[in-house]
Amino acid sequence: MSTQRETYLRIHPHDNVLVALQDLPQGTVVAFDGQTFALVDKIAAKHKFAINELPVGKEIYMYGVLVGKASATISQGGLLTTENVHHAAEGFHLGERKLQWHQPDTGNFEGKTFMGYHRADGSVGTGNYWIVVPLVFCENRNINVLKEALVDKLGYKKAKSYEGDVEQLMELYQAGKSVEEILNADILASEDKPNSKRLFKNIDGIKFLNHSMGCGGTREDSDTLCGLIAGYITHPNVAGATILSLGCQHAQVSILQNEIAKRDANFNKPLVVLEQQKVGTESELLKQALKQTFAGLVKANETARQPAPLSKLCVGLECGGSDGFSGISANPALGYLSDLLVTMGGSVILSEFPELCGVEQELSDRCIDVDTANRFMQLMTTYNARAEADGSGFYANPSPGNIRDGLITDAIKSAGAAKKGGTSPVTAVLDYPEKVTKPGLNLLCTPGSDVESTTAEVGAGANIVLFTTGLGTPTGNPVTPVIKLSTNTAMFERMPDIIDINCGTIIEGAETIQQAGERILDYVIKVASGEAEPKSVKLGQDDFIPWKRGVSL
């Protein structure tokens, strides 16, 4: 895309629809590709309209791929909607390897490093966290008790509190104010309370990863939960861990230990594992947990930030609350950043397999060898078949918000989402909850559900997550900084408390995709070094949702 301000755009030369870059009134005259026509409908920004008449059954192309078919005749200049378009995507098969790609110029980042926490296995963390995790939901209450005991006293309580707001409401009620008067009252913003001084200067936080799994479900779910928790324990951003087990659940300590050994055969981080049915009373369990966790924190605090090459970055690529601009602003900007990192020897993770529907052929052709391509296609086919069997295939992925903002079929959404992965070869295909072991572009099988997918990406080793959104979504991760990028300026200005970077500049013609990608990478380096704090970290958005391998799109 050029930096010239446009009002509509054809993304790929083979596309037979245009995207409105701003609201276009009915009757607007469009001059495109040697012809002139008037819009027969009002076209809201982010939505698509036909370049030529599309009769029933006509294939619709965006991003150069099949994204749907006309279910009713769409006039030239007519709006594409869920009423006149239905989902369609090309089939896929094992093709020839297409591994040639143009590596971007990385001169602006030559010799740059970030300040990270070096681990014995050679990985480098962008943070230094202690995690406290239950092996089964029965221990969630004990986890919460530990949180109440540790967080504030050790200096990790987040600054923002709304207790003052509640006190003001109480005063109004006690003064005899009516409900209407209370609702119309001006509540003075509570002052931020400064964080108490941290006892451990090199520990960035103590995080508590509650969940609802570990027993009562399938053995597959409990086993993968152990794998996910092992991914967090061995994660470069994690200094050590406290694990609470009840004792009788499916997710046994022995399974967790085997999963840790798979990921790090020489694991040597501080690890506290306590089983309530062996220890006895709840009081004794908590006392031991507090003492042993404190001792582990003392040890973990000995590690300080040191310079590390950018090749030690492993970036998770995520999107949520996507809109019609996602695939032409923030996502391709991340794609360029991905290519930069891969060129420099780093790793990137592209996940959300339901949102790769329609681009399977391109991605499988980019896999480095036949076995890798076959694994990708097998995972896509099996996942979709499992969803179809329960009446909700990949075609059901777009949310009402996606549809409202122009992503009316899964293939339209997917073709734009895949842009986050750039153009480099696929070096590995991973199934949840496997860990990244190779540099380059990794494909990780996860749902499109953003919190489940982000949780999985971090479990796979992402030490930074870049999260694009067009509608705005408040989410983060307990141990990995999640950087939010807006696809449009209006949303960035409306929700500045949760968004870090605006990519609407691309839509407005003020910045190229390449310029935005480099700007994002500059910020990533600051975050990785502890010099900048993303909004998700400031707000304590510590979302952790393990994926149950049933149908979650």
Side-chain angles (χ1 to χ4, degrees):
M1 180 186 297
S2 71
T3 55
Q4 182 181 351
R5 177 62 165 162
E6 304 287 352
T7 59
Y8 48 84
L9 170 74
R10 179 159 71 174
I11 298 171
H12 188 279
H14 294 162
D15 295 353
N16 53 6
V17 297
L18 298 175
V19 182
L21 300 181
Q22 62 185 50
D23 292 344
L24 301 176
Q26 182 182 20
T28 297
V29 176
V30 173
F32 183 80
D33 202 22
Q35 59 179 327
T36 301
F37 59 90
L39 296 180
V40 298
D41 300 302
K42 174 185 176 181
I43 312 294
K46 309 176 187 178
H47 285 262
K48 292 81 186 170
F49 58 92
I51 297 174
N52 294 295
E53 182 182 282
L54 302 172
V56 174
K58 180 68 175 179
E59 295 180 332
I60 298 168
Y61 285 84
M62 277 187 64
Y63 302 96
V65 299
L66 177 65
V67 296
K69 290 185 179 180
S71 54
T73 298
I74 305 171
S75 302
Q76 183 182 44
L79 174 68
L80 274 63
T81 70
T82 53
E83 284 72 39
N84 58 29
V85 176
H86 65 81
H87 168 80
E90 298 282 4
F92 52 93
H93 59 275
L94 184 63
E96 295 181 0
R97 302 301 89 217
K98 297 179 180 178
L99 308 181
Q100 297 296 320
W101 67 295
H102 176 70
Q103 297 187 18
D105 180 6
T106 59
N108 289 340
F109 299 93
E110 187 174 348
K112 286 194 175 183
T113 60
F114 70 96
M115 297 294 288
Y117 295 96
H118 292 249
R119 307 301 181 189
D121 64 356
S123 63
V124 180
T126 61
N128 199 35
Y129 293 94
W130 188 278
I131 60 172
V132 185
V133 194
L135 269 186
V136 61
F137 57 82
C138 308
E139 292 297 324
N140 279 341
R141 178 189 174 278
N142 290 331
I143 298 293
N144 291 337
V145 172
L146 292 176
K147 182 177 182 178
E148 291 174 1
L150 290 168
V151 171
D152 193 17
K153 289 294 183 182
L154 296 182
Y156 296 107
K157 185 176 181 180
K158 283 297 172 183
K160 186 63 178 177
S161 171
Y162 291 90
E163 293 175 2
D165 302 44
V166 176
E167 289 174 358
Q168 292 178 62
L169 294 172
M170 291 171 60
E171 290 171 0
L172 291 169
Y173 172 74
Q174 291 168 343
K177 301 297 183 181
S178 68
V179 170
E180 184 177 357
E181 287 175 316
I182 290 172
L183 290 174
N184 291 325
D186 289 329
I187 301 296
L188 300 178
S190 301
E191 291 186 9
D192 286 353
K193 298 178 181 178
N195 280 327
S196 54
K197 188 175 181 181
R198 291 182 183 177
L199 179 63
F200 301 112
K201 66 176 183 178
N202 292 325
I203 302 293
D204 293 313
I206 307 171
K207 300 297 184 175
F208 301 81
L209 280 58
N210 284 1
H211 59 82
S212 62
M213 296 176 64
C215 199
T218 66
R219 294 300 177 94
E220 179 187 27
D221 280 340
S222 59
D223 287 350
T224 55
L225 173 66
C226 288
L228 178 69
I229 295 173
Y232 274 71
I233 293 171
T234 59
H235 194 282
N237 289 3
V238 172
T242 298
I243 305 298
L244 295 190
S245 168
L246 179 59
C248 56
Q249 73 277 351
H250 288 164
Q252 286 288 298
V253 171
S254 59
I255 301 173
L256 175 66
Q257 291 170 333
N258 288 335
E259 292 293 336
I260 291 172
K262 285 180 186 178
R263 289 159 177 78
D264 186 356
N266 299 309
F267 178 77
N268 66 349
K269 293 179 182 178
L271 178 63
V272 178
V273 180
L274 295 170
E275 199 158 89
Q276 187 170 3
Q277 290 171 346
K278 289 182 179 179
V279 172
T281 66
E282 178 182 289
S283 175
E284 183 60 27
L285 175 77
L286 293 172
K287 286 179 181 178
Q288 288 193 29
L290 286 170
K291 287 191 293 185
Q292 293 185 42
T293 298
F294 194 89
L297 288 166
V298 173
K299 178 67 175 176
N301 190 53
E302 296 172 1
T303 302
R305 291 184 183 270
Q306 300 291 335
L310 300 187
S311 60
K312 293 297 183 179
L313 290 175
C314 179
V315 173
L317 308 168
E318 189 60 50
C319 57
S322 299
D323 71 348
F325 285 164
S326 294
I328 55 179
S329 63
N331 288 354
L334 288 198
Y336 186 73
L337 177 146
S338 297
D339 286 349
L340 285 170
L341 273 180
V342 170
T343 300
M344 293 184 288
S347 305
V348 294
I349 305 172
L350 181 64
S351 57
E352 300 175 294
F353 271 30
E355 297 182 6
L356 301 181
C357 173
V359 293
E360 297 98 334
Q361 191 64 58
E362 177 203 343
L363 289 172
S364 64
D365 289 348
R366 285 167 55 189
C367 290
I368 57 170
D369 54 41
V370 168
D371 289 344
T372 304
N374 279 329
R375 190 177 199 214
F376 170 63
M377 292 188 292
Q378 181 268 327
L379 286 171
M380 287 292 289
T381 301
T382 302
Y383 189 174
N384 187 51
R386 192 168 181 174
E388 289 275 11
D390 284 348
S392 188
F394 287 173
Y395 60 84
N397 180 260
S399 70
N402 295 150
I403 293 169
R404 184 182 66 243
D405 268 41
L407 303 178
I408 60 174
T409 74
D410 182 69
I412 290 176
K413 182 179 179 182
S414 298
K419 294 297 180 183
K420 300 191 300 290
T423 61
S424 69
V426 175
T427 57
V429 173
L430 309 174
D431 194 8
Y432 173 82
E434 291 177 333
K435 189 171 184 176
V436 171
T437 60
K438 296 179 180 179
L441 174 60
N442 289 255
L443 304 182
L444 173 66
C445 183
T446 75
S449 170
D450 47 35
V451 178
E452 288 173 298
S453 180
T454 300
T455 299
E457 287 186 339
V458 175
N463 54 14
I464 292 283
V465 171
L466 294 171
F467 190 119
T468 70
T469 181
L471 306 177
T473 177
T475 190
N477 184 265
V479 304
T480 289
V482 176
I483 299 169
K484 300 281 184 50
L485 305 99
S486 69
T487 70
N488 63 90
T489 299
M491 194 271 291
F492 176 75
E493 294 175 344
R494 187 172 64 253
M495 306 180 79
D497 58 327
I498 66 170
I499 304 299
D500 301 291
I501 293 175
N502 178 28
C503 294
T505 51
I506 298 171
I507 301 296
E508 294 156 4
E511 192 175 33
T512 66
I513 287 169
Q514 293 76 14
Q515 288 169 337
E518 293 199 355
R519 175 166 59 93
I520 297 165
L521 184 52
D522 281 330
Y523 184 69
V524 165
I525 295 169
K526 291 180 181 178
V527 171
S529 300
E531 298 172 5
E533 190 175 50
K535 305 295 177 58
S536 65
V537 177
K538 289 181 179 179
L539 293 171
Q541 294 168 336
D542 294 340
D543 302 309
F544 177 81
I545 303 181
W547 180 25
K548 294 183 180 181
R549 288 303 292 258
V551 178
S552 179
L553 294 176

